[in-house]
Amino acid sequence: MSTIINRIPMFFRENYDNWKLRMQAYLAALDNDIWYVITDDPIKIMKASSTTTPDGTPEMKEKPWSEWKAEDNRKNNLDNMEKDILYKTLDDNMFNKITTCTFAKEI
């Protein structure tokens, strides 16, 4: 059995386009949903409510944490995973520029 070691691509300002492609591939290899955290926002854990919209579809509301399943926990943690990965790609100078960012998408 062989093991493939995936090294996180380091960010260099002069090499952004190449880094972005490598990061997309790296993140997609980790989890299919993780790129959506970058392009959209953290995934909100939702459920259908008993109320319906005018077209008859159920309204969606945030699912209480006490009702989360393993898959909900995984999706909720994707933004944390993404921030951790992005932090590891930055040198101290670049890291200092993003310390106020709350979500991976902001970074």
Side-chain angles (χ1 to χ4, degrees):
M1 180 197 299
S2 67
T3 302
I4 298 174
I5 297 174
N6 243 351
R7 195 177 288 174
I8 299 173
M10 291 303 294
F11 174 78
F12 298 102
R13 194 174 300 168
E14 310 80 33
N15 202 15
Y16 175 77
D17 291 332
N18 289 339
W19 174 81
K20 180 181 174 184
L21 284 172
R22 289 180 173 137
M23 281 302 291
Q24 284 175 318
Y26 180 84
L27 296 171
L30 290 177
D31 191 300
N32 287 331
D33 291 328
I34 205 163
W35 190 248
Y36 297 113
V37 173
I38 289 286
T39 59
D40 297 332
D41 279 315
I43 297 172
K44 291 186 178 183
I45 310 304
M46 308 294 282
K47 74 173 191 171
S49 73
S50 56
T51 315
T52 57
T53 63
D55 67 357
T57 58
E59 283 187 7
M60 298 302 288
K61 65 178 186 176
E62 284 197 49
K63 184 188 277 189
W65 181 80
S66 60
E67 295 177 17
W68 286 10
K69 306 285 187 232
E71 179 66 6
D72 297 329
N73 283 314
R74 183 193 70 77
K75 286 184 176 185
N76 184 66
N77 196 43
L78 290 175
D79 190 65
N80 293 327
M81 286 177 52
E82 183 62 30
K83 286 189 297 186
D84 180 54
I85 291 166
L86 289 172
Y87 291 162
K88 291 174 181 172
T89 70
L90 304 174
D91 63 24
D92 288 344
N93 184 43
M94 288 303 293
F95 182 79
N96 287 333
K97 294 178 182 190
I98 56 93
T99 56
T100 59
C101 295
T102 304
F103 302 113
K105 180 179 179 179
E106 295 172 305
I107 297 171

